[in-house]
Amino acid sequence: MDKKKKWLKITLGIMALVIVGVYIGGIAAFHGKFLKNTDINGMDVSDMTVEEAEKLIREQVEDYQITLKERGNNSETITAEEIGYHYVSNGEIENFQKSQPYALWFVSYFRPASYAFETAVQYDETLLKEKADSLKCFDKATAKAPEDAKMVFQESENKYVIKKEKQGAKLKQKKFWKLLTETISERDGLLDLEKESCYQTPKVTSDDKDLNQLVENLNHYVDIEITYCFGNQKEVLDGSVVKDWLTYDKKGKVLVKDGAISDYIASLADKYDTYDKPRKFKTSDGTYVTVEGGSYGWKIDQTAEAEELTKLMEEEPHMERTPIFAQEADSWENGDMGDTYVEVDLTKQHLWMYKEGKLIVESDFVSGTMTPARVTPPGIFRLYYKKSPAVLRSTKPGDSYETPVSFWMPFNGGIGFHDATWRGSFGGQIFWNSGSHGCINLPYSAAQTIYQNIEKDYLVICFYRNGEYKY
C-alpha cells in the first residue's frame, strides 16, 4: 500500500467518525425536543421541549381577546383574563414530539414539519356572564329597545304624519349568547353585532303599507277647515279639533266617535246661544242693564247642524258657515238686539223706539200695577201683530173689562202697547198703585207713531233697573 492510499483511508475513517459523531450528537441534541423547522398551529417550536412548546401555546391562548363591534361605531373588548380563558393540555403536543423521526433529524433541515390541533381551552361561564352583564351594550340606560314607526298629529300642519322608527340598541340576548360562545370556541377575535343581526328590530317601519293607509284615511278627515261665524266672532273647526273625534278599527277604517260631533255642536250652542239667557243691554242713557226673560235669542238647531256637519266631514270642506238655527235674533250686537227695537224702561216708565239706530219716538207710559196679578214682567219679546181700532176685553172674575182703543200692539200674551186716552198723565210713580192690568199705556200721539212704524216681529225689550221687579 502506497503512502497516498494510506492517508485516504485515514481521512475517510476520520470523516466517517465525524459523521457518526454528528449524527449521534444530533440524536442526542433533539432528544425530547422538536426538530428544526417544526411548527404547531402556526407557531415555531423548533428546538423546544414539550413543556416549552406548551408554555408558548398557553401564552398565546391567554393573550386571546374578543372585540365586540357595536352599533354606533362603538366597540368593547373581553379579555382571556376577565373570563378565566386558559389552555388545557390533552397530550397532543407530547404526541407530536414523540411522532417525529429523530433518527432522521437531519432531514428536518430540508423538510419542514407542521402540526395542527384544536387547542383545548376552558373559560369560566360565570365570569363570562358577569363580564357580559357589565358591558355597555347591556346597559339599560343606553341599550334602548327599538321603537316602532307610528303616526303623530303635526300641529303646525294640522295633519297626521309618520314618525320614523328608531332602531335602538337592545340586543337579542339568546342570539348574542349563542354567537359569543361560538366566537370564543372558534378563537375568533371579532364579533360584529350589527353584521350578525344581533339587535332587536322595530316591528313596524315607516314604509309599512297598513300604517301609511291609515294615515291617509285619517288625513281625509282632519283636512277640514270650517269657520263658524257668529257675527264678528268666529270658531274654526279644523284638524286640531277633529283629531280628537277619530278612532279606527283593526282594518284601518276611520270612525267618528259616538257623540263627538253632537258634543261639539252643543259646545257652540252653550257658548253662542242667547235664547233664554240673560244678556247685557246698552240703554238709551248709556248705562247697561241685564235683560232676561221672554223667548228671544239665538238658538242653534243642534240636531240639524250635527247631521249637516256629519255630511260635510266626508267632503273635506274649507269654508265659512253659519250654523242652522232653530231660532234667530236680530243681531249679534248690543246683547244680540241690534239697532231696531222698542226699549221699555219699566223703572223710569219711559220708552224709546229705534229703527236702524234712528230714534223714532220716545214717551212716558204707565205699566202694570205692582201687584202679582197686574205687574208687567220683564223680558225680550216680539210683536205678535197690530190692530186699529181694537177692543180690549177681560172676563177674569173680579177684574173684567171691555175697553176700546185706537191702537193695539200685543207682544207678551195679553200684554201690549195701546193708547190710554182716559189717563191724564203718564210716567213717574203712577204704576206703583194705579197702573194698568199689565199693558203699556201710552199717550195717543206716541201710540199712533209707534203703530205707524212698528210691524210684526218687532223687538220689544222690557226691563227693570236694580232688581226693582217686585211688588
Side-chain angles (χ1 to χ4, degrees):
M1 179 181 297
D2 58 22
K3 190 175 182 180
K4 285 184 178 182
K5 289 182 177 181
K6 181 178 179 181
W7 280 108
L8 180 59
K9 285 183 178 181
I10 293 172
T11 300
L12 291 173
I14 292 172
M15 289 178 64
L17 290 174
V18 170
I19 292 171
V20 170
V22 170
Y23 174 71
I24 294 173
I27 291 175
F30 287 107
H31 179 70
K33 293 182 179 181
F34 286 98
L35 300 178
K36 293 290 186 180
N37 294 320
T38 300
D39 68 77
I40 299 176
N41 288 355
M43 292 180 290
D44 186 6
V45 293
S46 301
D47 299 318
M48 291 186 183
T49 64
V50 170
E51 290 76 13
E52 289 171 336
E54 286 189 337
K55 180 181 179 183
L56 178 64
I57 290 175
R58 182 178 294 108
E59 289 174 349
Q60 189 264 350
V61 166
E62 292 176 356
D63 192 44
Y64 170 75
Q65 66 178 27
I66 179 171
T67 298
L68 303 177
K69 187 177 180 182
E70 301 169 2
R71 180 168 283 173
N73 293 322
N74 297 320
S75 64
E76 297 185 77
T77 302
I78 300 174
T79 65
E81 182 180 2
E82 290 173 322
I83 62 174
Y85 186 89
H86 62 281
Y87 167 70
V88 178
S89 175
N90 288 325
E92 295 95 336
I93 295 177
E94 183 178 2
N95 291 334
F96 291 155
Q97 195 274 328
K98 288 181 177 179
S99 68
Q100 288 196 310
Y102 297 107
L104 301 175
W105 57 265
F106 52 89
V107 176
S108 66
Y109 283 89
F110 312 103
R111 186 184 299 170
S114 293
Y115 300 92
F117 73 105
E118 291 295 329
T119 309
V121 295
Q122 290 181 353
Y123 61 88
D124 190 320
E125 291 187 1
T126 300
L127 290 176
L128 179 60
K129 181 67 169 61
E130 290 176 355
K131 174 59 180 177
D133 287 343
S134 70
L135 293 171
K136 291 181 180 179
C137 59
F138 276 102
D139 186 348
K140 293 181 179 179
T142 55
K144 300 293 186 180
E147 295 181 17
D148 289 346
K150 60 183 179 181
M151 62 180 182
V152 295
F153 188 79
Q154 194 166 53
E155 298 286 349
S156 61
E157 298 185 25
N158 267 338
K159 71 176 185 179
Y160 284 94
V161 297
I162 294 177
K163 184 178 180 181
K164 189 175 176 61
E165 69 277 4
K166 290 184 178 180
Q167 293 298 331
K170 190 170 184 178
L171 294 170
K172 300 174 183 176
Q173 290 198 14
K174 288 184 178 179
K175 185 169 186 177
F176 171 79
W177 282 108
K178 181 176 182 292
L179 289 171
L180 180 61
T181 54
E182 287 177 354
T183 302
I184 293 173
S185 297
E186 294 168 3
R187 292 184 52 76
D188 196 342
L190 177 66
L191 174 55
D192 189 330
L193 301 180
E194 188 83 71
K195 184 177 180 180
E196 296 293 341
S197 302
C198 270
Y199 290 100
Q200 295 182 14
T201 56
K203 295 179 180 178
V204 181
T205 59
S206 57
D207 59 356
D208 182 84
K209 181 180 178 181
D210 292 337
L211 179 61
N212 279 270
Q213 185 62 57
L214 177 58
V215 168
E216 181 180 340
N217 294 345
L218 285 166
N219 281 334
H220 171 78
Y221 283 88
V222 299
D223 183 19
I224 179 175
E225 187 173 315
I226 297 178
T227 302
Y228 277 101
C229 300
F230 300 90
N232 292 328
Q233 299 185 73
K234 301 181 185 298
E235 290 285 334
V236 178
L237 173 62
D238 58 18
S240 64
V241 178
V242 172
K243 67 180 175 63
D244 296 327
W245 300 357
L246 305 179
T247 185
Y248 49 89
D249 60 20
K250 293 180 179 179
K251 295 182 179 180
K253 181 180 179 181
V254 178
L255 307 169
V256 178
K257 296 176 184 176
D258 290 342
I261 293 177
S262 57
D263 286 348
Y264 175 74
I265 300 301
S267 71
L268 293 182
D270 184 62
K271 185 174 182 179
Y272 292 102
D273 277 6
T274 59
Y275 175 82
D276 199 29
K277 291 181 180 180
R279 74 286 307 276
K280 293 291 184 181
F281 170 68
K282 187 177 182 179
T283 66
S284 293
D285 65 8
T287 60
Y288 285 87
V289 295
T290 298
V291 183
E292 56 185 320
S295 57
Y296 177 79
W298 295 101
K299 185 178 183 181
I300 296 175
D301 187 332
Q302 296 186 38
T303 300
E305 185 58 31
E307 290 176 354
E308 186 63 23
L309 179 55
T310 300
K311 296 175 185 177
L312 288 173
M313 285 188 64
E314 295 293 336
E315 302 171 6
E316 303 179 47
H318 290 71
M319 61 187 293
E320 284 194 351
R321 175 172 176 76
T322 299
I324 300 171
F325 287 100
Q327 178 174 302
E328 297 184 16
D330 289 350
S331 170
W332 289 99
E333 305 298 325
N334 195 19
D336 74 20
M337 288 171 280
D339 60 3
T340 299
Y341 52 82
V342 180
E343 176 185 342
V344 183
D345 188 332
L346 295 166
T347 298
K348 291 184 176 182
Q349 295 286 285
H350 196 82
L351 63 71
W352 297 260
M353 181 181 187
Y354 294 94
K355 182 173 286 189
E356 296 180 354
K358 180 181 179 182
L359 179 64
I360 302 301
V361 64
E362 64 173 298
S363 173
D364 286 338
F365 62 81
V366 176
S367 63
T369 304
M370 295 297 279
T371 63
R374 293 189 174 187
V375 66
T376 303
I380 306 169
F381 312 97
R382 288 190 182 277
L383 192 74
Y384 298 154
Y385 60 89
K386 62 181 180 178
K387 184 178 181 181
S388 177
V391 177
L392 308 181
R393 294 183 176 86
S394 172
T395 58
K396 188 176 181 179
D399 193 23
S400 62
Y401 57 85
E402 184 172 318
T403 305
V405 296
S406 297
F407 310 104
W408 172 231
M409 298 159 278
F411 57 81
N412 179 16
I415 296 174
F417 300 114
H418 64 78
D419 55 296
T421 55
W422 57 89
R423 288 189 181 275
S425 61
F426 298 87
Q429 301 298 308
I430 299 172
F431 74 109
W432 278 100
N433 299 302
S434 185
S436 70
H437 289 79
C439 289
I440 305 299
N441 290 182
L442 290 162
Y444 183 91
S445 61
Q448 183 181 40
T449 303
I450 292 174
Y451 188 88
Q452 291 170 346
N453 288 277
I454 206 165
E455 56 192 26
K456 184 179 181 297
D457 292 328
Y458 211 93
L459 199 59
V460 180
I461 306 166
C462 301
F463 60 88
Y464 291 90
R465 294 174 181 266
N466 305 319
E468 290 182 356
Y469 180 39
K470 60 185 178 181
Y471 32 77

